[in-house]
């Protein structure tokens, strides 16, 4: 590790920012988090992790706590609105093959664990980042040579913070990314047009987590494993996902076709980007419209309706979220780098955005730990390696999430065939082969003692 202490600013305290902070802490690197929200509030949805990240979460000391708040999940049943089952995807083999069962948990429970592992004095709340300036022109008492080693970060409350590098973990509509692109362009560095194009957005989604329910009524809760149920509308315009959690709660997610049509031309695209930005954090009222459309659907657990389940969910934990996806090409400048949804946004159909953010952190923090110095060249070389090591996997995740979305929502004879093959007729060997490929790499960091690879299918990294 570098002999000069490295100072890092993380922008954003979502899953990506907090995991990065915990890893930096383990690596002995100084950091502070700037978060725009005044308090920690999290949408009431579920989040699932597989062995791909559970191994590193064990290595950094989080697995035991995560296991306590989770339910292990074993299979997903996909059925039509009238109750007809069209397929079952099984995942029980995960522990034997990859060392861990897949685990599902309520997102607020996960965030509580992550927050408990970060020194609260290192998270500065109410700090909305507006600007990021590399090599500021003047700093009190600093020589010209010194200036080249700093980045200054400016917040809406007028405060300014300094670090050797900035990690933008500020989500899909990242301000750090916007500023970085502007700064690169002003220096004459090319940023591809695609990086300015709007997100691909054709679905919206409402999520909630019920209050604890009676297992005598919702008998699925008596099962030791979580079993997902996915219900598809007759015309595939909606899908409903039901996921039992620990403490007898059920997490649910309703996906539907978007209200606003996709922009047809470049002029409309800019308008759409602005519109998406405005509606990226819809609250409970906006959620009601979509909920009403699916109230009458059969609930597979009790023979009642989805409406019953919605009624068992406190209104304040029902939220509407955006299901947009996009892969960004430009991930860093000399001293500013992006991580998580800020550089690759997936939708939650097999794309696993939080998983990708954790994988980013594994690679980035490993490289920062091994930095020979805080010089601009060493830092930007580390960022180049980070992008090179992560780009392909993250891009595949974005593509997989798009294909996953289509499987649950696209109409047509060919899609029906693909659904039947994927959910019902895929040979077992092909199913396992596909799963092995997805779980092939379960990386850990190099600066901590390794955890054993307990799976019968060994990890590539
Ligand atoms: C319904 C749903 C289910 C999902 N399920 C899964 C799953 O099962 N598995 C999985 O791996 N992934 C899942 N995901 C995806 C996953 O939640 C995200 O990819 C992940 O949380 C992204 O984390 P992040 O830290 O990159 O960004 P975010 O969570 O968006 O965090 C960004 C943070 O930055 C802050 N911020 C923004 N702008 C600024 C600014 N200017 N200044 C300071 N702070 C700022 C925000 O307030 C926020 O706290 C799901 C997503 C959804 C919507």
């Amino acid at each position: 590790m570098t002999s000069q202490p490295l100072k890092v600013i993380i922008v954003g305290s979502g899953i990506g920012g907090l995991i990065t902070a915990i890893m930096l802490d383990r690596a002995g690197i100084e950091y502070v988090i700037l978060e725009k929200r005044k308090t920690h509030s999290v949408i009431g949805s579920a989040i699932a992790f597989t062995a791909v990240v559970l191994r590193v979460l064990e290595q950094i000391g989080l697995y035991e706590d995560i296991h306590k708040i989770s339910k292990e999940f074993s299979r997903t049943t996909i059925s039509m609105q009238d109750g007809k089952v069209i397929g079952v995807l099984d995942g029980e083999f995960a522990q034997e093959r990859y060392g861990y069962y897949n685990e599902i948990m309520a997102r607020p429970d996960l965030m509580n664990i992550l927050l408990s592992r970060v020194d609260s004095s290192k998270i500065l709340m109410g700090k909305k980042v507006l600007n990021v300036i590399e090599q500021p022109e003047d700093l009190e008492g600093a020589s010209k040579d010194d200036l080249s080693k700093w980045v200054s970060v400016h917040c809406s409350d007028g405060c300014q913070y300094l670090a050797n590098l900035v990690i933008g973990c500020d989500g899909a509509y990242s301000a750090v990314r916007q500023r970085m692109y502007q700064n690169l362009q002003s220096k004459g560095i090319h940023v591809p047009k695609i990086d300015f194009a709007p997100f691909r957005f054709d679905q919206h989604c409402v999520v909630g987590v019920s209050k604890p329910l009676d297992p005598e009524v919702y008998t699925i809760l008596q099962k030791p494993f979580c079993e997902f149920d996915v219900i598809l509308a007759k015309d595939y315009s909606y899908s409903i996902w039901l996921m039992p959690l620990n403490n007898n709660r059920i997490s649910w997610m309703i996906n539907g076709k978007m209200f606003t049509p996709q922009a047809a031309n470049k002029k409309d695209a800019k308008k759409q980007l602005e519109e998406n930005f405005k509606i990226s954090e819809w609250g409970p009222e906006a959620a009601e419209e979509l909920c009403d459309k699916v109230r009458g659907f059969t609930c597979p657990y009790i023979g009642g309706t989805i409406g019953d389940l919605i009624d068992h969910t406190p209104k304040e934990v029902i939220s509407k979220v955006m299901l947009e996806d996009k892969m960004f090409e430009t991930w860093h400048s000399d001293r500013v780098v992006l991580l998580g949804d800020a550089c690759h946004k997936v939708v939650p159909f097999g794309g696993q955005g939080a998983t990708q953010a954790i994988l980013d952190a594994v690679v980035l923090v490993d490289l920062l730990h091994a930095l020979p110095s805080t010089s601009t060249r060493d830092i930007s070389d580390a960022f180049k390696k980070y992008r090179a090591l992560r780009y392909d996997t993250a891009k595949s995740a974005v593509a997989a999430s798009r294909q996953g979305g289509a499987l649950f929502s696209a109409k047509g004879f060919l899609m029906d065939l693909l659904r039947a093959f994927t959910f019902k007729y895929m040979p077992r060997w092909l199913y396992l082969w596909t799963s092995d490929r997805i779980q092939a790499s379960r990386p850990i960091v190099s600066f901590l003692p390794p955890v054993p690879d307990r799976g019968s299918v060994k990890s590539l990294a």
Side-chain angles (χ1 to χ4, degrees), residues 11-17 34-37 43 45-49 107 127-130 169-172 175 205 207 253 321-323 339-342 346 348 352-357:
V11 181
S13 67
I15 296 173
L34 304 177
E35 166 57 52
K36 75 173 175 185
R37 292 178 204 262
I43 57 166
S45 71
I47 191 142
F49 288 139
R107 185 184 292 253
K127 298 289 176 186
K128 183 174 182 181
V129 169
L130 297 180
C169 304
D170 51 342
C205 167
V207 291
M253 173 166 90
V321 288
M322 306 273 285
L323 292 191
L339 182 149
D341 280 9
V346 305
Q352 306 271 307
T355 296
Q356 294 305 316

Side-chain angles (χ1 to χ4, degrees), residues 39-305:
T39 55
H40 295 289
S41 61
V42 187
I43 57 166
S45 71
I47 191 142
F49 288 139
T50 69
V52 168
V53 290
L54 288 172
R55 189 164 168 232
V56 73
L57 292 177
E58 178 173 349
Q59 190 190 27
I60 61 173
L62 293 179
Y63 177 70
E64 216 176 290
D65 283 355
I66 284 179
H67 185 65
K68 279 188 204 144
I69 57 155
S70 303
K71 199 154 174 159
E72 293 161 345
F73 79 82
S74 57
R75 56 196 234 150
T76 304
T77 303
I78 301 113
S79 43
M80 296 307 293
Q81 183 181 345
D82 59 6
K84 187 179 156 215
V85 174
I86 57 170
V88 177
L89 298 175
D90 129 62
E92 243 172 279
F93 52 83
Q95 190 193 37
E96 187 278 317
R97 283 179 102 77
Y98 318 121
Y100 302 83
Y101 282 111
N102 302 329
E103 306 255 9
I104 180 153
M105 65 216 80
R107 185 184 292 253
D109 296 352
L110 171 68
M111 288 300 280
N112 284 340
I113 290 179
L114 299 183
L115 285 167
S116 75
R117 298 305 182 90
V118 178
D119 181 345
S120 57
S121 68
K122 292 190 173 181
I123 311 181
L124 308 184
M125 303 298 292
K127 298 289 176 186
K128 183 174 182 181
V129 169
L130 297 180
N131 205 358
V132 178
I133 301 173
E134 288 179 64
Q135 303 184 10
E137 279 172 8
D138 68 289
L139 285 177
E140 221 177 302
S143 68
K144 202 165 178 222
D145 209 32
D146 269 357
L147 289 176
S148 68
K149 294 196 170 143
W150 296 102
V151 187
S152 65
V153 177
H154 301 254
C155 297
S156 58
D157 60 0
C159 290
Q160 179 187 337
Y161 299 87
L162 286 176
N164 300 115
L165 64 96
V166 172
I167 309 179
C169 304
D170 51 342
Y173 293 89
S174 168
V176 173
R177 186 183 64 231
Q178 285 177 27
R179 292 294 165 230
M180 184 177 90
Y181 287 0
Q182 281 168 2
N183 294 342
L184 286 170
Q185 285 184 318
S186 69
K187 286 185 200 161
I189 298 168
H190 174 69
V191 179
K193 262 194 189 155
I194 183 97
D195 283 340
F196 297 100
F199 285 88
R200 185 181 166 278
F201 168 53
D202 65 2
Q203 296 244 336
H204 50 178
C205 167
V206 179
V207 291
V209 175
S210 78
K211 60 188 185 193
L213 300 166
D214 183 356
E216 294 300 323
V217 179
Y218 289 84
T219 48
I220 192 92
L221 293 167
Q222 293 173 11
K223 298 203 178 183
F225 283 92
C226 158
E227 294 184 13
F228 278 27
D229 263 287
V230 182
I231 306 159
L232 307 181
K234 212 161 90 190
D235 62 357
Y236 299 108
S237 57
Y238 296 96
S239 67
I240 303 169
W241 296 59
L242 303 172
M243 298 154 279
L245 302 177
N246 74 344
N247 293 338
N248 293 329
R249 296 165 298 170
I250 293 178
S251 165
W252 52 268
M253 173 166 90
I254 303 166
N255 301 304
K257 295 280 183 206
M258 64 187 237
F259 291 128
T260 22
Q262 187 81 357
N265 55 46
K266 273 189 192 165
K267 210 171 124 205
D268 289 350
K270 190 165 178 274
K271 230 167 105 194
Q272 188 192 330
L273 184 68
E274 283 157 13
E275 188 64 14
N276 285 355
F277 188 80
K278 267 191 270 162
I279 56 176
S280 61
E281 285 174 70
W282 283 326
E285 299 78 29
E288 240 174 76
E289 188 182 344
L290 191 53
C291 288
D292 285 345
K293 295 198 176 175
V294 294
R295 279 188 164 272
F297 284 13
T298 308
C299 179
Y301 302 147
I302 49 166
T305 63

